[in-house]
Each structure stands twice: as structure tokens, then as C-alpha cells.
Amino acid sequence: MNTSSLLKNGISYITAKRYEFIHAAQAKKSLRLIEQTKGRTDPKLFKMCRDYSIDVFGNSKYAPWLKVYTAFNRNFKEGWIPDNYYRTIVIPKIQGDFGKISNLKFFTNTFFNTQNFPDLVYHINGKWLTVEGEILPIEKVARYLFNSNTKVLFKQDNSMQGLGIQVFEKETINHTTLMGLGNGVFQYFIEQHPFFSEYVEDSVATLRITTTVNSLGKPKVNDAYLRFGMKGESFVAAGSQLKVSVNSIGELSDLGYLNGWQAVKEHPNSKLDFGGKTVPTFNKATDLCMQLHQSYPQIDCIGWDVGIDKNNEVKILEWNGYHNDIKFSEATNGPCFIEQGWEKLWKA
């Protein structure tokens, strides 16, 4: 083996070990937060997690996330997919480079050919393009954006968890501002359905719908949950979001969860309960996500961030074909992916 190959192998080994350390620390923190509320977990259940991790996934390093799911449910369930197993083993095999395309905002309309995305203008390597493909001179971009909008947001390519998002109003954008932006997309703000504004009106609540396709390309919805922002925030941020599980007919769970796995029965700002409420136009939203996924079956699993506007229209705010998160779904509603056969992928 030559020096270059040795170096690459060494870097890959160090990167993998660092990733394992980070995930173990995240799982340990989550476990501690959950047990602070729910109490200590039966050690016998944790032994089941370790044994299952070795027997099914081939390594005990996947046990920490199984312990998180178990502590949350006070029980162990076969079929759970550990978050670090999903990210290191599953994603490269079921999504790969095709999934990474979702990080490049410009390709959204190219692939899905739909008006359900609120995209206005793309910025690509110094060029400004409309959704229709018309190139705009930079001095006309602001006029185009605010022709019928009072507020827009810019999402940078490769942005995740609310990072790389900026909100602009007409008076806050100019030539210098535009020159400082990287590649990405401008989107108009949707006026969300009153159902969501009753909880918090400052940001658009997003419905995360996770879909998969089978070997024949047939799609299904595996899980859904709502993500609410907080008062004073212009968009839902990962660090302060509140998540509420949604069942197969759109009904909200009685409990929502803050970022530290803290359970709440109501939104902290509006004091409005979750239980007994149903997401408007839920079936319309899930049907659209399945329809779009079926048109692009090269990716086995996609996370869709959906908004419902005041006219009951479904808008896809973002799609994630790579590194879409599954641990909240697995903990609250899982196992969600038991039919996918992902537990066998490490042997391939």
C-alpha cells in the first residue's frame, strides 16, 4: 500500500472514531436528560440494547441510541434503527450522492417540476436566476423579490437545522447584501393557516413528513411531526424548536418535546394544548410528499418540511435527501422503518 493510500485510510479511521465519539456523547446527554424526568431505566433493558446492537447491527457502538429510545419508552422494542447506524451505514447505501442533491437548492424544481415550492430566485456562482430560468441582473433582484412580497428568506446551500437562513425585508437588502450571499435560494414567506398561528405566529410551523420507497418505487409515509418555533423568532430554529408527534390521520400527540427531551402539554408562549387537535389538510400534505417521492425514487428516504398556508395549500419549504433526522421519530413513534430491511445493510 502506498503512502497516499495509507494517509487516506488514516484520515478515514480518525474521522470515523471522532464521529463515534460525538454520537456517543450526544446519546449519553439525551439519555441523562430523559432519565432526569422519567427516572432510571431498568439495567436489564439496557443489556437488551447492547445484545441487540451486537446481534443485529454487528457492533455494540450502536447501543447508546437504542438506550435513548428505551429510556424514553420505558421499554425495549425490536426494529429500532440507531441514529448513528442510520447515518453511517444506511444513508450512504440508500441515498448516497443522489441524496446530496437536496443540498443544492437550484435543483429542486428541476427534479420535481412542481409549483408547491415557494422558491423565487436562485443564486448560483454569482448568477441570479428565476424559477423559470431567466437570468436577472443583480440590480433587478430586489425589485423582483419584493414585487409582491413584503418579506423573503434566503436559504444557503448545504444549510441544516436552521443554519444558513436569513430573513430580509425590502429596506434591509441592497447590492452589498446580495454580493455577500453564497449559493442558495430566496423563498417567499407563506401566510400560514390560522391553526398554526394560534400556537405561535412569528414563524411558519413546519410539518416534517418522512417518506420511503420500496424496491419497486412505491412510496409510504413512515412518520410525521410538527415543529413549532418560539415567540420572536422569524423561523423555526433547531436550538429552540418544539416537536409534536402526529399520527397517521393528522392528530397531534398530547405531549410535545422541547430540545432537551422535556415534555410539555402546551406551547410555552400561547399556552395552547396539543391534545385533541388535528393538522389541517394533513392527507393532502402526505399525498403530495408521496407523489413527489415517487417521481424521484432513486433516494429511498426523504424528509419533507411542509407548510400549510391560509388557503389550505401545501408548500414544500425544504426536502432533505441526505442526513434527514430519524431519532425523534424512532423514539416517539418507532420502530418506523421495520419493513425497509436496513438492519441487514452492514453485512453487504
Side-chain angles (χ1 to χ4, degrees):
M1 186 177 292
N2 59 38
T3 303
S4 178
S5 297
L6 286 171
L7 181 60
K8 288 180 180 179
N9 288 343
I11 292 173
S12 296
Y13 177 81
I14 293 171
T15 301
K17 285 298 180 182
R18 180 176 179 272
Y19 189 82
E20 288 177 20
F21 176 81
I22 291 173
H23 254 279
Q26 289 176 345
K28 185 177 181 180
K29 179 181 178 180
S30 295
L31 178 61
R32 184 179 73 252
L33 292 170
I34 290 169
E35 290 194 327
Q36 283 176 357
T37 302
K38 293 178 177 281
R40 297 293 298 275
T41 307
D42 186 342
K44 293 179 181 178
L45 293 176
F46 281 169
K47 184 180 184 305
M48 292 175 67
C49 293
R50 179 179 172 82
D51 292 345
Y52 189 81
S53 178
I54 295 171
D55 293 343
V56 176
F57 302 110
N59 200 305
S60 62
K61 67 183 179 183
Y62 302 118
W65 280 112
L66 294 177
K67 291 180 179 180
V68 171
Y69 304 159
T70 299
F72 184 87
N73 287 274
R74 316 308 292 164
N75 192 19
F76 176 80
K77 299 178 184 180
E78 293 188 2
W80 272 327
I81 300 295
D83 189 56
N84 54 334
Y85 177 83
Y86 177 71
R87 292 174 183 268
T88 58
I89 303 298
V90 179
I91 284 178
K93 293 184 181 295
I94 69 166
Q95 296 173 326
D97 290 339
F98 284 97
K100 293 178 183 178
I101 292 171
S102 65
N103 294 329
L104 305 177
K105 311 303 182 186
F106 171 72
F107 288 105
T108 294
N109 275 302
T110 303
F111 284 112
F112 297 114
N113 190 26
T114 176
Q115 296 182 346
N116 291 95
F117 288 85
D119 296 5
L120 289 169
V121 173
Y122 303 106
H123 183 220
I124 308 165
N125 300 330
K127 295 181 177 66
W128 300 92
L129 293 90
T130 67
V131 173
E132 294 75 23
E134 177 189 356
I135 296 181
L136 293 174
I138 191 170
E139 59 270 15
K140 292 186 178 181
V141 172
R143 188 188 315 163
Y144 185 91
L145 291 173
F146 296 103
N147 181 46
S148 56
N149 302 289
T150 58
K151 186 166 59 173
V152 298
L153 58 84
F154 182 80
K155 292 182 179 179
Q156 196 169 10
D157 284 355
N158 298 300
S159 58
M160 294 185 296
Q161 300 182 330
L163 301 175
I165 295 179
Q166 299 180 63
V167 178
F168 295 101
E169 296 180 353
K170 188 173 184 179
E171 59 272 16
T172 62
I173 199 166
N174 52 45
H175 186 280
T176 303
T177 306
L178 292 171
M179 288 288 290
L181 296 175
N183 291 345
V185 61
F186 274 107
Q187 294 181 332
Y188 60 82
F189 264 80
I190 72 169
E191 188 173 341
Q192 69 181 351
H193 194 285
F195 173 88
F196 306 105
S197 293
E198 288 182 5
Y199 286 97
V200 60
E201 60 182 1
D202 297 336
S203 58
V204 176
T206 60
L207 179 63
R208 167 53 68 95
I209 298 173
T210 301
T211 59
T212 58
V213 291
N214 63 15
S215 59
L216 298 177
K218 183 178 180 180
K220 68 172 289 188
V221 173
N222 298 76
D223 189 49
Y225 58 88
L226 265 177
R227 301 193 307 160
F228 288 109
M230 295 295 164
K231 186 176 181 180
E233 298 178 344
S234 55
F235 56 88
V236 179
S240 56
Q241 65 183 332
L242 188 156
K243 300 177 182 178
V244 187
S245 292
V246 180
N247 68 15
S248 60
I249 59 173
E251 296 172 337
L252 299 189
S253 170
D254 291 340
L255 296 176
Y257 293 90
L258 299 173
N259 233 29
W261 297 91
Q262 178 187 352
V264 292
K265 291 185 177 181
E266 60 186 26
H267 192 285
N269 300 135
S270 62
K271 307 302 180 184
L272 189 64
D273 290 346
F274 306 121
K277 309 293 174 54
T278 301
V279 176
T281 325
F282 179 74
N283 288 339
K284 187 176 180 180
T286 55
D287 287 347
L288 176 62
C289 291
M290 286 192 290
Q291 174 191 333
L292 293 177
H293 199 165
Q294 190 167 24
S295 71
Y296 193 49
Q298 295 90 334
I299 302 174
D300 282 10
C301 185
I302 295 178
W304 309 88
D305 288 336
V306 175
I308 310 295
D309 73 13
K310 63 178 182 179
N311 299 316
N312 285 318
E313 293 299 323
V314 180
K315 299 296 179 182
I316 306 293
L317 307 179
E318 197 162 284
W319 69 287
N320 194 326
Y322 203 78
H323 285 321
N324 55 311
D325 186 72
I326 66 165
K327 57 180 173 287
F328 182 76
S329 295
E330 286 291 79
T332 54
N333 288 333
C336 300
F337 308 96
I338 201 165
E339 298 176 358
Q340 299 303 121
W342 290 346
E343 72 282 357
K344 302 174 184 176
L345 293 177
W346 68 275
K347 300 177 182 179

